[in-house]
Amino acid sequence: MAKSIDTLVEDIYCLFTNKEEIKIKKEDLDAFAEAVVSSVASSISEVRKPREPSLRLSLIGHKDRKIWYEMNGAEKTALSAPTLIKFLYGDILEQLLILFCKVAGHQVKEEQAELTSNGVRGHKDATVDGVLVDFKSASPFGFKKFKDKTILNDDPFGYIAQISAYSDADNNTDVGFVAIDKVSGEICFCPIDDMELINSASRINDIREFIKNDKPPKKCYDPVPDGSSGNLKLHIGCNFCDYKHTCWSDANEGEGIRTFLYSNGPKNLVKVVRVPNVPEITNAA
């Protein structure tokens, strides 16, 4: 009897609590191993290769200004080694989720199948039990958005637009996210109703128009107060942007972003009224 994605999380958890022996198909383990090897190899080598700007389905949900920078070849902020390693083990966790789905007896088809929406190409993660699924690894804060479905209202990385494009291209309105908390290991399935999807073709048309402009669209986020010091810091949506230093080059009277190392991590300030009593980082990513 075919399984339903509604029991996916429970079935995956049972893999670790069931006292009976569970056999894993060699072809599933081989596919997982191949995907992990590919992720490791590309993560180490691709970081050194410049990539020509191209509009991809995974990009259309990003903020307009970030897309403009991407498509017009703006200088990117170099990511630190720890950040790149973090992205790598996130990719590996997503491959692990796919393996779990298979071992738990759920039907996984069309992994990394190429899709095209309004002339823009992309690759979906897979179809699981007939549902188009995007696998995500997330911090506890990000995971909660999938678990509570607040991703619909707080979506800084444009995941809803991305999965909408996959839905349009795949002609499948049964879609959702399977997410894993990178810290706790908790897993959830977040279904997205077709009424909650956007019109991806219209979004792509809008992008094609504004990337022709000579100047970028307005900044994606306003800076936010850093306590009562009078200092202003980057919005959280800017902190992980590849173009934050280009975008905020006019900050601090033309000095650009100033980064200070606090005990709980670095803080990017775009207006320094009172210099923090902590070390300042130069050339921070």
Coordinates of all heavy atoms in Angstrom, one line a residue, residues 44-131:
I44 N 34.0 22.8 -2.6 CA 35.5 23.2 -2.5 C 36.0 23.8 -3.8 O 36.7 24.8 -3.7 CB 36.3 22.0 -2.1 CG1 36.0 21.5 -0.7 CG2 37.8 22.3 -2.2 CD1 36.6 20.2 -0.2
S45 N 35.5 23.3 -4.9 CA 36.0 23.8 -6.2 C 35.2 25.0 -6.8 O 35.8 25.9 -7.3 CB 36.1 22.6 -7.2 OG 34.7 22.2 -7.5
E46 N 33.9 24.9 -6.6 CA 33.1 26.0 -7.3 C 33.3 27.3 -6.7 O 33.1 28.4 -7.4 CB 31.6 25.6 -7.2 CG 31.2 24.4 -8.0 CD 31.4 24.6 -9.5 OE1 31.2 25.7 -10.0 OE2 31.9 23.7 -10.2
V47 N 33.7 27.4 -5.4 CA 33.9 28.7 -4.8 C 35.0 29.5 -5.5 O 35.1 30.8 -5.4 CB 34.3 28.5 -3.3 CG1 35.7 28.0 -3.1 CG2 34.2 29.9 -2.5
R48 N 35.9 28.9 -6.2 CA 37.0 29.5 -6.9 C 36.6 29.9 -8.4 O 37.4 30.5 -9.1 CB 38.2 28.6 -7.0 CG 38.7 28.3 -5.6 CD 39.8 27.2 -5.6 NE 40.4 27.0 -4.3 CZ 39.9 26.3 -3.4 NH1 38.8 25.7 -3.6 NH2 40.5 26.2 -2.2
K49 N 35.4 29.5 -8.8 CA 35.0 29.7 -10.2 C 34.0 30.8 -10.3 O 32.9 30.7 -9.7 CB 34.4 28.4 -10.8 CG 35.4 27.3 -10.9 CD 34.8 26.1 -11.5 CE 35.7 24.9 -11.5 NZ 35.0 23.7 -12.1
P50 N 34.3 31.9 -11.0 CA 33.3 33.0 -11.3 C 32.2 32.4 -12.1 O 32.4 31.6 -13.0 CB 34.1 34.1 -12.0 CG 35.2 33.4 -12.6 CD 35.6 32.2 -11.7
R51 N 30.9 32.8 -11.8 CA 29.8 32.3 -12.6 C 29.1 33.5 -13.3 O 28.9 34.5 -12.7 CB 28.8 31.6 -11.7 CG 27.6 30.9 -12.4 CD 26.8 30.0 -11.4 NE 26.3 30.8 -10.3 CZ 25.6 30.2 -9.4 NH1 25.4 28.9 -9.4 NH2 25.1 30.9 -8.4
E52 N 28.8 33.2 -14.6 CA 28.1 34.2 -15.4 C 26.7 34.5 -14.8 O 26.0 33.5 -14.4 CB 28.0 33.8 -16.8 CG 29.3 33.8 -17.6 CD 29.9 35.2 -17.7 OE1 29.1 36.2 -18.0 OE2 31.1 35.4 -17.6
P53 N 26.3 35.8 -14.7 CA 25.0 36.0 -14.2 C 23.9 35.4 -15.0 O 23.9 35.4 -16.3 CB 24.8 37.6 -14.3 CG 26.3 38.1 -14.4 CD 27.0 37.0 -15.1
S54 N 23.0 34.7 -14.4 CA 21.9 34.1 -15.1 C 20.7 34.0 -14.1 O 20.8 33.7 -12.9 CB 22.2 32.7 -15.6 OG 22.5 31.8 -14.5
L55 N 19.5 34.2 -14.6 CA 18.3 34.2 -13.8 C 17.9 32.7 -13.7 O 17.8 32.0 -14.6 CB 17.2 35.0 -14.5 CG 15.9 35.1 -13.7 CD1 16.2 35.8 -12.3 CD2 14.9 35.9 -14.5
R56 N 17.7 32.3 -12.4 CA 17.3 30.9 -12.1 C 16.1 30.9 -11.3 O 15.8 31.9 -10.6 CB 18.5 30.2 -11.4 CG 19.8 30.3 -12.1 CD 21.0 29.7 -11.2 NE 21.1 30.3 -9.9 CZ 21.7 31.5 -9.7 NH1 22.2 32.2 -10.8 NH2 21.8 32.0 -8.5
L57 N 15.3 29.8 -11.3 CA 14.1 29.8 -10.5 C 14.4 29.9 -9.0 O 13.6 30.5 -8.3 CB 13.4 28.4 -10.8 CG 12.9 28.2 -12.2 CD1 12.1 26.9 -12.3 CD2 12.0 29.4 -12.6
S58 N 15.5 29.5 -8.6 CA 15.9 29.6 -7.1 C 16.1 31.0 -6.7 O 16.2 31.3 -5.5 CB 17.1 28.7 -6.8 OG 18.2 29.1 -7.6
L59 N 16.3 31.9 -7.7 CA 16.6 33.3 -7.4 C 15.4 34.2 -7.4 O 15.5 35.3 -6.8 CB 17.6 33.8 -8.5 CG 18.2 35.2 -8.4 CD1 19.1 35.2 -7.1 CD2 19.0 35.6 -9.6
I60 N 14.3 33.8 -8.0 CA 13.2 34.8 -8.3 C 12.5 35.3 -7.0 O 11.9 36.3 -7.0 CB 12.2 34.2 -9.3 CG1 11.3 33.1 -8.6 CG2 12.8 33.8 -10.5 CD1 10.1 32.8 -9.5
G61 N 12.7 34.5 -5.9 CA 12.0 35.0 -4.7 C 12.9 36.0 -3.9 O 12.4 36.5 -2.9
H62 N 14.1 36.2 -4.3 CA 15.0 37.1 -3.6 C 14.5 38.6 -3.8 O 13.7 38.8 -4.7 CB 16.4 37.0 -4.1 CG 17.1 35.7 -3.7 ND1 18.4 35.5 -3.8 CD2 16.6 34.6 -3.2 CE1 18.7 34.3 -3.4 NE2 17.6 33.7 -3.0
K63 N 15.0 39.4 -3.0 CA 14.6 40.8 -3.0 C 15.1 41.5 -4.3 O 16.1 41.1 -4.9 CB 15.1 41.6 -1.8 CG 14.6 41.2 -0.5 CD 13.1 41.4 -0.3 CE 12.6 41.1 1.0 NZ 11.2 41.3 1.2
D64 N 14.3 42.5 -4.8 CA 14.6 43.1 -6.1 C 16.0 43.6 -6.2 O 16.7 43.4 -7.2 CB 13.6 44.2 -6.4 CG 12.2 43.7 -6.6 OD1 12.0 42.5 -6.6 OD2 11.3 44.6 -6.8
R65 N 16.5 44.3 -5.2 CA 17.8 44.9 -5.2 C 18.9 43.8 -5.3 O 19.9 44.0 -6.1 CB 18.0 45.8 -4.0 CG 19.3 46.6 -4.1 CD 19.3 47.5 -2.9 NE 20.5 48.4 -2.7 CZ 20.7 49.6 -3.1 NH1 19.6 50.2 -3.7 NH2 21.8 50.3 -3.0
K66 N 18.7 42.7 -4.6 CA 19.7 41.7 -4.6 C 19.8 41.0 -6.0 O 20.8 40.7 -6.6 CB 19.4 40.6 -3.6 CG 20.4 39.5 -3.5 CD 20.1 38.5 -2.5 CE 21.2 37.4 -2.4 NZ 20.9 36.4 -1.4
I67 N 18.6 40.8 -6.6 CA 18.5 40.3 -8.0 C 19.2 41.2 -9.0 O 20.0 40.8 -9.8 CB 17.1 40.0 -8.4 CG1 16.5 38.9 -7.5 CG2 17.0 39.5 -9.8 CD1 15.0 38.6 -7.7
W68 N 19.0 42.5 -8.8 CA 19.6 43.5 -9.7 C 21.1 43.4 -9.7 O 21.8 43.4 -10.7 CB 19.1 44.9 -9.4 CG 19.6 45.9 -10.4 CD1 18.8 46.4 -11.5 CD2 20.8 46.6 -10.4 NE1 19.6 47.3 -12.2 CE2 20.8 47.5 -11.5 CE3 21.9 46.6 -9.6 CZ2 21.8 48.3 -11.9 CZ3 23.0 47.4 -9.9 CH2 22.9 48.3 -11.1
Y69 N 21.6 43.3 -8.4 CA 23.1 43.2 -8.3 C 23.6 41.9 -8.9 O 24.6 41.9 -9.6 CB 23.5 43.2 -6.8 CG 23.5 44.6 -6.2 CD1 22.9 44.8 -4.9 CD2 24.2 45.6 -6.8 CE1 22.9 46.0 -4.3 CE2 24.2 46.9 -6.2 CZ 23.6 47.1 -5.0 OH 23.6 48.3 -4.4
E70 N 22.9 40.8 -8.7 CA 23.3 39.5 -9.2 C 23.3 39.5 -10.7 O 24.3 39.1 -11.4 CB 22.3 38.4 -8.7 CG 22.5 37.0 -9.3 CD 23.6 36.2 -8.6 OE1 23.9 36.6 -7.5 OE2 24.0 35.2 -9.2
M71 N 22.3 40.1 -11.3 CA 22.2 40.0 -12.8 C 23.0 41.1 -13.5 O 23.3 41.0 -14.7 CB 20.7 40.2 -13.2 CG 19.8 39.1 -12.7 SD 20.3 37.5 -13.2 CE 20.2 37.7 -15.0
N72 N 23.5 42.1 -12.7 CA 24.4 43.1 -13.3 C 25.8 42.9 -12.9 O 26.6 43.8 -13.1 CB 23.8 44.5 -12.9 CG 22.6 44.9 -13.8 OD1 22.7 45.3 -14.9 ND2 21.4 44.7 -13.2
G73 N 26.1 41.8 -12.4 CA 27.5 41.4 -12.1 C 28.2 42.3 -11.0 O 29.4 42.5 -11.1
A74 N 27.5 42.7 -10.0 CA 28.1 43.5 -8.9 C 29.0 42.6 -8.1 O 28.9 41.4 -8.1 CB 27.0 44.0 -8.0
E75 N 30.0 43.3 -7.5 CA 31.0 42.6 -6.7 C 30.3 41.9 -5.5 O 29.6 42.6 -4.7 CB 32.1 43.5 -6.2 CG 33.2 42.9 -5.4 CD 34.2 43.8 -5.0 OE1 34.2 45.0 -5.4 OE2 35.2 43.4 -4.3
K76 N 30.6 40.7 -5.3 CA 30.0 39.9 -4.1 C 30.9 40.0 -2.9 O 32.1 40.2 -3.0 CB 29.9 38.5 -4.5 CG 28.7 38.1 -5.5 CD 28.6 36.6 -5.6 CE 27.3 36.3 -6.4 NZ 27.1 34.9 -6.5
T77 N 30.3 39.9 -1.8 CA 31.1 39.9 -0.5 C 31.6 38.4 -0.4 O 30.9 37.5 -0.5 CB 30.2 40.2 0.7 OG1 29.6 41.5 0.6 CG2 30.9 40.0 2.0
A78 N 32.9 38.3 -0.2 CA 33.5 37.0 -0.1 C 33.0 36.3 1.2 O 33.0 36.9 2.3 CB 35.0 37.1 0.0
L79 N 32.5 35.1 1.1 CA 32.0 34.4 2.3 C 33.2 33.8 3.0 O 34.1 33.3 2.4 CB 31.0 33.3 1.8 CG 29.7 33.8 1.1 CD1 28.9 32.7 0.7 CD2 28.9 34.7 2.1
S80 N 33.1 33.7 4.3 CA 34.1 33.1 5.1 C 34.1 31.6 5.0 O 33.1 31.0 4.6 CB 33.9 33.5 6.6 OG 32.7 32.9 7.1
A81 N 35.2 31.0 5.3 CA 35.3 29.5 5.3 C 34.3 28.9 6.2 O 33.6 27.9 5.8 CB 36.7 29.1 5.7
P82 N 34.1 29.3 7.4 CA 33.0 28.7 8.3 C 31.6 28.8 7.6 O 30.8 27.8 7.8 CB 33.1 29.5 9.6 CG 34.5 30.0 9.6 CD 34.9 30.3 8.2
T83 N 31.3 29.9 7.0 CA 30.0 30.0 6.3 C 29.9 29.0 5.2 O 28.8 28.4 5.1 CB 29.8 31.5 5.8 OG1 29.9 32.4 6.9 CG2 28.5 31.6 5.1
L84 N 30.9 28.9 4.4 CA 30.9 27.9 3.3 C 30.7 26.5 3.8 O 30.0 25.7 3.2 CB 32.1 28.1 2.4 CG 32.2 29.4 1.6 CD1 33.6 29.6 1.0 CD2 31.1 29.5 0.6
I85 N 31.4 26.2 4.9 CA 31.3 24.9 5.5 C 29.9 24.6 6.0 O 29.3 23.6 5.9 CB 32.3 24.7 6.6 CG1 33.8 24.7 6.0 CG2 32.1 23.4 7.4 CD1 34.9 24.7 7.1
K86 N 29.3 25.7 6.6 CA 27.9 25.6 7.1 C 27.0 25.3 6.0 O 26.1 24.5 6.1 CB 27.6 26.9 7.8 CG 26.1 26.9 8.3 CD 25.9 28.2 9.1 CE 26.0 29.4 8.3 NZ 25.6 30.7 9.0
F87 N 27.1 26.0 4.8 CA 26.3 25.7 3.7 C 26.5 24.3 3.2 O 25.5 23.6 2.8 CB 26.7 26.6 2.5 CG 26.2 28.1 2.7 CD1 26.8 29.1 2.0 CD2 25.3 28.4 3.7 CE1 26.4 30.4 2.2 CE2 24.9 29.7 3.9 CZ 25.5 30.7 3.2
L88 N 27.7 23.8 3.2 CA 28.0 22.4 2.8 C 27.3 21.4 3.7 O 26.6 20.5 3.1 CB 29.5 22.1 2.8 CG 29.9 20.7 2.6 CD1 29.4 20.2 1.2 CD2 31.5 20.6 2.7
Y89 N 27.4 21.5 5.0 CA 26.7 20.5 5.8 C 25.2 20.6 5.7 O 24.4 19.7 6.0 CB 27.3 20.3 7.2 CG 27.1 21.4 8.2 CD1 25.8 21.7 8.7 CD2 28.1 22.2 8.7 CE1 25.6 22.7 9.7 CE2 27.9 23.2 9.6 CZ 26.7 23.4 10.1 OH 26.5 24.4 11.1
G90 N 24.7 21.8 5.4 CA 23.3 22.0 5.1 C 22.9 21.2 3.9 O 21.8 20.5 3.9
D91 N 23.7 21.2 2.9 CA 23.4 20.4 1.7 C 23.4 18.9 2.0 O 22.6 18.2 1.5 CB 24.4 20.7 0.6 CG 24.3 22.1 0.0 OD1 23.2 22.7 0.1 OD2 25.3 22.5 -0.7
I92 N 24.4 18.5 2.8 CA 24.5 17.1 3.2 C 23.2 16.6 4.0 O 22.7 15.6 3.7 CB 25.8 16.8 3.9 CG1 27.0 17.1 3.0 CG2 25.8 15.4 4.5 CD1 28.3 17.0 3.7
L93 N 22.8 17.5 4.9 CA 21.6 17.2 5.6 C 20.4 17.0 4.7 O 19.5 16.1 5.0 CB 21.3 18.3 6.7 CG 22.1 18.2 8.0 CD1 21.8 19.4 8.8 CD2 21.8 16.9 8.7
E94 N 20.3 17.8 3.7 CA 19.1 17.7 2.8 C 19.2 16.4 2.0 O 18.2 15.8 1.7 CB 19.1 18.9 1.8 CG 18.7 20.2 2.6 CD 19.0 21.5 1.8 OE1 19.3 21.4 0.6 OE2 19.0 22.6 2.5
Q95 N 20.4 16.0 1.6 CA 20.6 14.7 1.0 C 20.2 13.6 1.9 O 19.6 12.5 1.5 CB 22.0 14.5 0.5 CG 22.4 15.4 -0.6 CD 21.5 15.3 -1.9 OE1 21.0 14.2 -2.2 NE2 21.3 16.4 -2.6
L96 N 20.5 13.8 3.2 CA 20.1 12.7 4.2 C 18.6 12.6 4.3 O 18.1 11.5 4.5 CB 20.8 13.1 5.6 CG 20.8 12.1 6.7 CD1 21.6 10.9 6.2 CD2 21.4 12.7 7.9
L97 N 17.9 13.8 4.3 CA 16.5 13.7 4.3 C 15.9 12.9 3.2 O 14.9 12.1 3.3 CB 15.9 15.1 4.2 CG 15.9 16.0 5.5 CD1 15.4 17.4 5.2 CD2 15.2 15.4 6.6
I98 N 16.5 13.0 2.0 CA 16.0 12.3 0.8 C 16.2 10.8 1.1 O 15.3 10.0 0.8 CB 16.7 12.7 -0.5 CG1 16.3 14.2 -0.8 CG2 16.4 11.8 -1.6 CD1 17.1 14.8 -2.0
L99 N 17.4 10.4 1.6 CA 17.6 9.0 1.9 C 16.6 8.5 3.0 O 16.1 7.4 2.8 CB 19.0 8.9 2.5 CG 19.4 7.5 2.9 CD1 19.4 6.5 1.8 CD2 20.8 7.5 3.6
F100 N 16.3 9.3 4.0 CA 15.4 8.9 5.0 C 14.0 8.6 4.4 O 13.3 7.6 4.8 CB 15.2 10.0 6.1 CG 16.4 10.1 7.0 CD1 16.5 11.3 7.8 CD2 17.3 9.1 7.1 CE1 17.6 11.4 8.6 CE2 18.4 9.3 8.0 CZ 18.6 10.4 8.7
C101 N 13.6 9.5 3.5 CA 12.3 9.3 2.8 C 12.2 7.9 2.1 O 11.2 7.2 2.2 CB 12.0 10.4 1.8 SG 11.8 12.0 2.5
K102 N 13.3 7.6 1.4 CA 13.3 6.3 0.7 C 13.3 5.1 1.6 O 12.6 4.2 1.5 CB 14.6 6.3 -0.2 CG 14.6 7.3 -1.3 CD 15.9 7.2 -2.1 CE 16.0 8.2 -3.2 NZ 17.3 8.2 -3.9
V103 N 14.2 5.2 2.7 CA 14.3 4.1 3.6 C 13.0 3.9 4.4 O 12.6 2.8 4.7 CB 15.5 4.3 4.6 CG1 15.6 3.1 5.6 CG2 16.8 4.4 3.8
A104 N 12.3 5.0 4.6 CA 11.0 4.9 5.3 C 9.9 4.4 4.5 O 8.7 4.3 4.9 CB 10.7 6.3 5.9
G105 N 10.1 4.1 3.2 CA 9.1 3.5 2.4 C 8.3 4.4 1.6 O 7.3 4.0 1.0
H106 N 8.7 5.7 1.5 CA 8.0 6.7 0.7 C 8.5 6.7 -0.7 O 9.7 6.5 -1.0 CB 8.0 8.0 1.4 CG 7.2 8.1 2.6 ND1 5.9 8.6 2.7 CD2 7.5 7.6 3.9 CE1 5.5 8.5 3.9 NE2 6.4 7.9 4.7
Q107 N 7.7 7.0 -1.7 CA 8.1 7.1 -3.1 C 8.8 8.4 -3.4 O 8.2 9.5 -3.3 CB 6.9 6.9 -4.0 CG 7.2 6.8 -5.5 CD 6.0 6.7 -6.4 OE1 5.2 7.6 -6.3 NE2 5.8 5.6 -7.1
V108 N 10.0 8.3 -3.8 CA 10.8 9.5 -4.2 C 11.1 9.4 -5.7 O 11.8 8.4 -6.1 CB 12.1 9.6 -3.4 CG1 12.9 10.8 -3.8 CG2 11.8 9.7 -1.9
K109 N 10.7 10.4 -6.4 CA 10.9 10.4 -7.9 C 11.4 11.7 -8.4 O 11.3 12.7 -7.7 CB 9.5 10.1 -8.6 CG 8.9 8.7 -8.3 CD 7.5 8.6 -8.8 CE 7.5 8.7 -10.3 NZ 6.1 8.5 -10.9
E110 N 12.0 11.7 -9.6 CA 12.4 12.9 -10.3 C 13.3 13.8 -9.5 O 13.2 15.0 -9.5 CB 11.2 13.7 -10.7 CG 10.2 12.9 -11.6 CD 8.9 13.6 -11.9 OE1 8.5 14.4 -11.1 OE2 8.3 13.2 -12.9
E111 N 14.3 13.2 -8.8 CA 15.3 14.0 -8.1 C 16.1 14.9 -9.0 O 16.6 14.5 -10.1 CB 16.3 13.1 -7.3 CG 15.6 12.3 -6.2 CD 16.6 11.3 -5.6 OE1 17.6 11.9 -5.0 OE2 16.4 10.1 -5.6
Q112 N 16.2 16.2 -8.7 CA 16.9 17.2 -9.4 C 16.5 17.3 -10.9 O 17.2 17.6 -11.8 CB 18.4 16.9 -9.4 CG 19.0 17.2 -8.0 CD 18.8 18.6 -7.5 OE1 19.1 19.6 -8.2 NE2 18.2 18.7 -6.3
A113 N 15.2 17.0 -11.1 CA 14.6 17.1 -12.5 C 14.6 18.6 -12.9 O 14.3 19.5 -12.1 CB 13.2 16.5 -12.6
E114 N 15.0 18.8 -14.1 CA 15.1 20.2 -14.6 C 13.7 20.7 -15.0 O 12.9 20.0 -15.6 CB 16.0 20.3 -15.9 CG 16.1 21.8 -16.4 CD 17.1 21.9 -17.5 OE1 18.3 21.9 -17.2 OE2 16.7 22.0 -18.7
L115 N 13.4 21.9 -14.6 CA 12.1 22.5 -14.8 C 12.3 23.9 -15.5 O 13.3 24.5 -15.3 CB 11.3 22.7 -13.5 CG 11.0 21.5 -12.7 CD1 10.4 21.9 -11.4 CD2 10.0 20.6 -13.5
T116 N 11.3 24.3 -16.3 CA 11.3 25.7 -16.9 C 10.0 26.4 -16.7 O 9.0 25.8 -17.0 CB 11.6 25.5 -18.4 OG1 12.9 24.8 -18.6 CG2 11.8 26.9 -19.0
S117 N 10.1 27.6 -16.2 CA 8.9 28.4 -16.0 C 9.2 29.8 -16.7 O 10.1 30.5 -16.3 CB 8.6 28.6 -14.5 OG 7.5 29.5 -14.3
N118 N 8.3 30.1 -17.6 CA 8.5 31.4 -18.4 C 9.9 31.6 -18.9 O 10.4 32.7 -18.8 CB 8.0 32.6 -17.4 CG 7.8 33.9 -18.2 OD1 7.8 33.9 -19.4 ND2 7.6 34.9 -17.5
G119 N 10.5 30.6 -19.4 CA 11.8 30.7 -20.0 C 13.0 30.6 -19.0 O 14.1 30.7 -19.4
V120 N 12.7 30.5 -17.7 CA 13.7 30.4 -16.7 C 13.8 29.0 -16.2 O 12.8 28.4 -15.8 CB 13.4 31.4 -15.5 CG1 14.5 31.3 -14.5 CG2 13.3 32.8 -16.1
R121 N 15.1 28.5 -16.1 CA 15.3 27.1 -15.7 C 15.6 27.0 -14.2 O 16.1 27.9 -13.6 CB 16.4 26.5 -16.5 CG 16.0 26.3 -18.0 CD 17.1 25.5 -18.7 NE 18.4 26.2 -18.7 CZ 19.5 25.6 -19.2 NH1 19.5 24.4 -19.7 NH2 20.7 26.3 -19.1
G122 N 15.4 25.8 -13.7 CA 15.8 25.4 -12.4 C 15.7 23.9 -12.2 O 15.3 23.2 -13.1
H123 N 15.9 23.5 -11.0 CA 15.8 22.0 -10.7 C 15.1 21.9 -9.4 O 15.4 22.5 -8.3 CB 17.2 21.4 -10.5 CG 18.0 21.4 -11.8 ND1 18.7 22.6 -12.2 CD2 18.2 20.5 -12.8 CE1 19.3 22.3 -13.4 NE2 19.0 21.0 -13.7
K124 N 14.0 21.0 -9.4 CA 13.3 20.7 -8.2 C 14.1 19.7 -7.4 O 14.9 18.9 -8.0 CB 11.9 20.2 -8.5 CG 11.8 18.9 -9.2 CD 10.4 18.4 -9.4 CE 10.3 17.1 -10.1 NZ 8.9 16.6 -10.3
D125 N 13.9 19.6 -6.1 CA 14.6 18.6 -5.3 C 14.1 17.2 -5.6 O 14.8 16.3 -5.9 CB 14.4 18.9 -3.8 CG 15.4 20.0 -3.4 OD1 16.3 20.3 -4.1 OD2 15.1 20.6 -2.3
A126 N 12.7 17.0 -5.5 CA 12.1 15.7 -5.8 C 10.6 15.8 -5.7 O 10.1 16.8 -5.2 CB 12.7 14.7 -4.8
T127 N 10.0 14.7 -6.1 CA 8.6 14.5 -5.9 C 8.4 13.3 -4.9 O 9.0 12.3 -5.2 CB 7.8 14.2 -7.2 OG1 7.9 15.3 -8.0 CG2 6.3 13.9 -6.9
V128 N 7.8 13.6 -3.8 CA 7.6 12.5 -2.7 C 6.1 12.2 -2.6 O 5.4 13.1 -2.3 CB 8.2 13.0 -1.4 CG1 8.0 11.9 -0.3 CG2 9.7 13.4 -1.6
D129 N 5.8 11.0 -2.8 CA 4.4 10.6 -2.7 C 3.5 11.5 -3.5 O 2.3 11.8 -3.1 CB 3.9 10.5 -1.3 CG 4.8 9.6 -0.4 OD1 5.3 8.6 -0.9 OD2 5.0 10.0 0.8
G130 N 3.9 11.9 -4.7 CA 3.2 12.7 -5.6 C 3.2 14.2 -5.3 O 2.6 15.0 -6.0
V131 N 3.9 14.6 -4.2 CA 4.0 16.0 -3.8 C 5.3 16.6 -4.2 O 6.4 15.9 -3.9 CB 3.8 16.1 -2.2 CG1 4.0 17.6 -1.8 CG2 2.4 15.6 -1.8

